[in-house]
Structures are given as structure tokens and as C-alpha cells.
Amino acid sequence: MRTNLMLSAVGAFVLLAAGAVLLPDWAMFLCAMALAKGLVSLGIVGMMRGGLVSFGQGLYYCLGAYTATLVAGQLGVSDIFLLTLLSAGVCLVVGALFGPLLAGYRGIFFAMLSLALSMVLYGTLAKLTVLGGTDGLNIGAPTFFGWDPEGRALQTALYLYVAVLVVVAGTLMRIYFDSEQGLITLATRDNELRVEYLGASVRTVMSYNYVFGAVLGGIGGTIAALALGHVDPEFAFWTTSGEFVFVAILAGYLSVPAVFVAAIILEMVRSFSNLYFPNTWQLALGIFLLIVIVVLPNGLGSLVRRRKGDAT
Amino acid sequence: MTQAVLDVRDVQKSFGAVTAAKDINVSVPEGAVYSLIGTNGAGKTTFVNMVTGYIKPDSGVINFAGRNITGMGPRQITRLGIHRSFQIAQLCNELTVEENMVVAATIHKSARPSFWRNAHGAEARERALATLERFRIAEHRNRLIPELSGGVKKLLDIAMAIAGQTKVMLLDEPTSGVAADEKFPIMDLVIEALRAEGVTVIFVEHDMDIVTRYSDRVLAFYDGRIIADDAPEEVLSDPDVQRYVTGGAA
């Protein structure tokens, strides 16, 4: 079973890596951003499997981006691996602080509290002139173990780095979803009372999912900041968090690759809608989501991965 | 004399002006099968909920194997070995029968389930299958819960509850929602499995034939109090029980 997973991971990387050769610059940038946002949405999918949806993943997306920017700007660190590790570490700590607190809430209360936390960060950053206020901060191009590429080479290296992160994170999350803890998360989504009366802590299960989501959010934010070369408080704004939820709903909770496919579809639909209907592109996006919800209530993932019994 | 595994002393519980449990004193010896009878609202489920930690008593003490468990939560109590099934079977509808059983076996096996070990691995599936076979529901293992009959759901609910190291099992109306011709076969299976492992059983039941056939002792509840505590024949012939509980149906 794990052999199949590893082969799929290799296949996914080869497919993504082909993009580095075949895609034009604009498309490669678009895909890199979509994959980075897909990482954030993957964290939401982890929570969705337990029956919760966070409307505040912008908190970790923004926190990761600002951590990378500040470390790069203040400490002079430009290595992309180190920046990613530091951002993920900060988000891990913050997630571990808030996770157990939020895991005691359900449904709309969890969603609203997570949103409130991200909006607190947004408000704070917007007012802090030392961090650039609403204008944000710039971050220089990253280096790769001392290699300092420029132009197309930089974009390709960044894209390939995101592809590696996506494949590694996706594989680890698939292993987690299929693990004992992952199955208990699914059971929790279905029947918390049963899970508690079997002797497992629903709160602990949800805390783990929240922390994983925080780390993935931080990594996604770091990549986005490096790809854009800029970070601002909008990273924590509710509309940004809404985009991540949008992708998670579009993908559903059954399949990991579906999350990244959904993220790329969203970026494509948004870019082209913006190009052809600049004033009504949100409408086009809304109609698209509506169609997916009606036709595929379990998301794009249900096209390739169905729960047992569904096929009968 | 067999030692009491469950000892409930002077327990009281009120919900506003309603007294759901009043001066409850029960001592259940290890390995015994007790049944709780009474009309709706008499306090049977409140008793089960207090013992399993779903609600906390206002006063009194509940001891399990010499340890005070009053006020502990369901998870802690379950970990100690007091398990329960529910009046309406509590199952995970989006999972198959086998997956439900794997969840139960996994949680019972370890307080810290693995993030790495595959839940659908051969070992986990074999363990789940063994329990399903013991309860003769293995043939349903790949079916989702909504596709099952009431009897199979009840059996799975109980099988999940006893997948761990059960010392006391509380069954809340194990035959409710079950077809009449399935009631005795289900109870035969359940009581046989629990007795074989020396599990102490306390079950809530409205069917007096089942109470008489499977209980060593009966507790009759009325208005939050225990009005009779004796062997089934004695309790069911008690005038108060006939008046307030069975309506002379003994």
C-alpha cells in the first residue's frame, strides 16, 4: 500500500516538474502561488475530516509570510530552506498555543473564533508602522543552499521547491489520513459521543489537526511571500482565509491531490475571469463553486476516491 | 462473598425541580448480571449516565473497583474499564462496519493511536474481524451503517464497546428498536460473550421476559428511587413494582 503511495508521489513530482519545462513564466508563477495556497487548504481539509472548518487560516499564512520576511530582512537569512523551517516552527508554536483552546469549540463557533484570531493579526499588522502598516514589507529573492539564481532560473527553482514541498506534505498527510489517528478523526466527524465513550479525546484529535493546519499554513505563506517578493496584512484578511476554505470545499476531504487541482483551478478561473470580466469575476467564481457543490457535494476528490459502499 | 466491583452510595441528581435520582444505593458484585427496570423517566438512564460520567451526581459517591470515580469524565471512566452501549446505537455512519470496529479496537488498544501505522493494515483488520465474527456480524463488514438492520446495529454498538478490557458493561435498552424475533438471539449472544469474559453487566430493559431470563438481580426504579432490589422473581412479584413499574405484567 505504501509502495503505491510512494510511486504516486514520484509520479506527481514528475508531472509537476514537467511544468518547469513546459509552462511559460506567467503560468509557472500562477501554479507556484496556487500550490502554496493549496498547502494552506490541505490543512483545512485535515480539519474538515474531523468535522471542523477554520475560517482563519489566513492567520498562519500571514504569520509564516511575515516570519520569513522579518528573518530575511532583520537577520539577513536568505536560504529558502531555513526560512521555511523557521516559519513552520513559529506557526507550530502558535498553533500549539491556540489549538487546544479552539479545539473545545464546534461548528460556527470554531469557524468564527479562528476567523477572529486572523482578523486580530490583520488589525495589529495594519496599525504597526514598524512592520510597514497596510503597505507591508518587501522580501528579497531567496537563495538555495548558497545558489543565488535570477530570472527564469529563480522562478523555476522556486516552482520546483514548491513542487517538492507539495509532494512531501501531500504524502505525509495521506499517510496521516490513512493512519489510526486519521481514522479516528473521520470517526470524530461522524460521532463524537462514540469516540469519547471509546476512550479517545476528541479535543486532542482536533488539536493535532489544527496544529498540522497551522504548520502547512505557515509554509504556504512563506512560499507566497517569496514568490511575490512582498507581504502585507491582506494575507490575514478574511477574504484570503475565505479563498482557502473555497479551495477546501471545492476539493472535498477525500483526496489529497484534489486539493492542489482545486487550488490551480481556482487560480485559473480567477485569472481568466479577471481578464475577461474584470468587474464581475467574483460572480463567475461564485457560479463555478455553486455548480461544483450541486454536482459534486463531496468535492472534486469524490471523482477519483469514493468511500466504501458509495460505489455500490 | 464476591467483592463489589461497582458501589454507588447515596447518589442524588436533580434537573431543576425534577429529582432524577434520590438516595441511590447499589452494590454490584463482580461477574453479576443486573437489570434496571422502570417506566420512562424513572431514573434508569440517569443512573447509567452518572456511572459512565455523562452527568455528574449532585451528591454521593460512585466507587469502581475500590476507586472513587465520582465526577470523572466518560473518557477517563472508559479507560478504567466501564463501557457502555446506547439506547440508539452510536455508530459512525460514514464508515463501514469493519472500520467502526477498527476505530474501537485501535482506541482500546492504545491511549496514543499512531500517526504512521495504517489503520487498514492486516493486523488491525484481523483484530476487528475476530470481534465481528464473535458477534456473528462479520458478513456485514463492508457495509455502511445506514444499510444495517436494527439488530446488527445494536450488536456492533456492543461489540465496539467491549473491544477493550471491559470490566463493567452498561447496556441501555439493548433490544429497543430490534425486531421481536431477534431479541432473544441478540441477548443470548451478548450475555454469553460478556459472561465468558467475566464482565459485570448492568442492562436497562422494558421487556420482562428478557429481564427474567438473563438477570441475576433486578433493580426497580420509580420516581428517581430504587423501590426494589432483589432476584427477578421477587422483584417482579413485589406489589409496589407491579403497581408502579410492570402494571401487573409479571
Side-chain angles (χ1 to χ4, degrees):
Chain A
M1 209 164 182
R2 289 273 161 87
T3 312
N4 287 343
L5 182 63
M6 292 306 154
L7 287 174
S8 303
V10 171
F13 179 72
V14 170
L15 191 68
L16 287 171
V21 181
L22 301 172
L23 294 174
D25 284 1
W26 67 267
M28 197 153 57
F29 170 77
L30 194 140
C31 283
M33 283 300 290
L35 294 175
K37 289 179 178 179
L39 283 170
V40 189
S41 297
L42 183 59
I44 297 177
V45 168
M47 287 180 250
M48 273 169 68
R49 291 175 70 87
L52 294 180
V53 177
S54 165
F55 275 89
Q57 284 314 91
L59 169 71
Y60 298 102
Y61 184 65
C62 186
L63 202 58
Y66 267 86
T67 301
T69 306
L70 288 172
V71 169
Q74 303 299 314
L75 305 177
V77 175
S78 63
D79 187 80
I80 194 166
F81 305 101
L82 206 53
L83 290 175
T84 311
L85 270 178
L86 284 169
S87 301
V90 167
C91 290
L92 174 75
V93 171
V94 176
L97 283 174
F98 289 133
L101 182 77
L102 291 183
Y105 295 89
R106 292 289 169 274
I108 194 68
F109 301 104
F110 176 84
M112 288 297 112
L113 277 173
S114 59
L115 175 63
L117 287 176
S118 71
M119 289 306 289
V120 166
L121 180 67
Y122 169 80
T124 308
L125 290 172
K127 297 288 178 197
L128 281 176
T129 47
V130 68
L131 295 179
T134 50
D135 291 337
L137 298 168
N138 289 329
I139 179 171
T143 58
F144 300 78
F145 287 132
W147 179 47
D148 189 9
E150 287 178 0
R152 169 89 187 178
L154 171 63
Q155 203 163 8
T156 306
L158 191 63
Y159 173 79
L160 287 174
Y161 180 65
V162 184
V164 170
L165 284 179
V166 162
V167 170
V168 171
T171 306
L172 287 175
M173 287 303 272
R174 184 74 260 165
I175 288 171
Y176 165 54
F177 291 165
D178 291 337
S179 72
E180 293 175 350
Q181 193 78 36
L183 187 61
I184 293 168
T185 299
L186 268 187
T188 301
R189 171 195 176 88
D190 241 353
N191 195 331
E192 288 187 15
L193 184 69
R194 176 80 266 178
V195 171
E196 282 280 335
Y197 269 105
L198 287 171
S201 165
V202 169
R203 193 173 189 150
T204 306
V205 169
M206 294 307 178
S207 298
Y208 282 132
N209 288 325
Y210 186 83
V211 172
F212 294 154
V215 171
L216 289 169
I219 295 172
T222 306
I223 302 303
L226 290 169
L228 290 166
H230 181 77
V231 56
D232 62 52
E234 290 286 322
F235 274 49
F237 199 55
W238 69 271
T239 50
T240 310
S241 297
E243 267 183 46
F244 302 137
V245 174
F246 188 110
V247 170
I249 291 171
L250 195 59
Y253 70 91
L254 296 172
S255 162
V256 169
V259 179
F260 299 101
V261 171
I264 291 171
I265 289 175
L266 176 69
E267 283 297 321
M268 292 287 181
V269 170
R270 184 165 55 182
S271 296
F272 285 101
S273 306
N274 213 353
L275 180 67
Y276 294 112
F277 335 101
N279 297 319
T280 54
W281 68 270
Q282 291 97 335
L283 181 69
L285 213 57
I287 291 170
F288 177 69
L289 182 63
L290 205 62
I291 291 169
V292 172
I293 289 173
V294 171
V295 178
L296 297 167
N298 283 326
L300 293 173
S302 61
L303 285 173
V304 289
R305 191 182 178 98
R306 286 181 180 273
R307 299 275 322 143
K308 281 179 191 171
D310 286 4
T312 57
Chain B
M1 188 179 167
T2 315
Q3 198 185 348
V5 67
L6 186 70
D7 192 50
V8 179
R9 288 287 139 225
D10 303 322
V11 162
Q12 315 248 11
K13 181 70 191 177
S14 297
F15 298 101
V18 178
T19 303
K22 192 175 176 185
D23 298 328
I24 302 292
N25 287 285
V26 178
S27 190
V28 184
E30 201 172 339
V33 178
Y34 272 48
S35 60
L36 315 181
I37 62 170
T39 52
N40 288 335
K44 309 178 298 294
T45 299
T46 300
F47 175 82
V48 171
N49 284 341
M50 286 192 293
V51 171
T52 55
Y54 191 68
I55 53 176
K56 291 177 186 172
D58 296 335
S59 63
V61 176
I62 302 171
N63 285 307
F64 167 63
R67 181 174 178 176
N68 186 347
I69 60 165
T70 321
M72 282 186 183
R75 192 159 36 89
Q76 286 171 289
I77 290 176
T78 301
R79 287 264 168 226
L80 291 174
I82 299 181
H83 297 170
R84 74 172 290 182
S85 70
F86 296 83
Q87 194 173 336
I88 297 167
Q90 293 296 320
L91 306 166
C92 303
N93 288 338
E94 289 186 31
L95 304 183
T96 63
V97 168
E98 184 179 278
E99 283 173 332
N100 268 277
M101 206 59 234
V102 168
V103 168
T106 301
I107 296 173
H108 285 311
K109 187 189 70 175
S110 164
R112 291 180 185 279
S114 171
F115 286 90
W116 185 258
R117 198 178 311 115
N118 195 310
H120 305 86
E123 187 199 337
R125 295 182 65 181
E126 273 171 28
R127 215 171 40 235
L129 199 58
T131 311
L132 293 176
E133 274 168 359
R134 202 162 112 218
F135 281 85
R136 295 176 202 158
I137 50 175
E139 66 194 271
H140 304 286
R141 64 179 178 272
N142 290 324
R143 296 173 72 183
L144 291 170
I145 304 307
E147 300 167 12
L148 304 175
S149 70
V152 176
K153 282 183 189 174
K154 283 282 182 184
L155 281 173
L156 179 60
D157 192 33
I158 295 165
M160 286 173 75
I162 68 158
Q165 299 293 312
T166 310
K167 294 178 182 127
V168 173
M169 180 74 193
L170 292 106
L171 308 167
D172 196 355
E173 299 194 26
T175 62
S176 75
V178 173
D181 59 339
E182 281 187 308
K183 286 187 177 185
F184 283 105
I186 283 177
M187 283 303 285
D188 282 344
L189 203 58
V190 171
I191 297 295
E192 187 187 317
L194 293 169
R195 277 194 194 278
E197 301 207 357
V199 174
T200 305
V201 183
I202 300 170
F203 68 96
V204 176
E205 187 54 63
H206 288 289
D207 187 325
M208 294 308 142
D209 290 334
I210 286 175
V211 168
T212 312
R213 182 159 161 180
Y214 297 102
S215 314
D216 299 327
R217 203 171 177 93
V218 179
L219 306 178
F221 282 74
Y222 176 71
D223 200 20
R225 291 175 295 116
I226 294 175
I227 57 169
D229 174 2
D230 212 328
E233 306 77 38
E234 303 299 326
V235 169
L236 296 179
S237 59
D238 183 298
D240 280 346
V241 172
Q242 290 189 346
R243 183 175 173 193
Y244 295 118
V245 181
T246 62

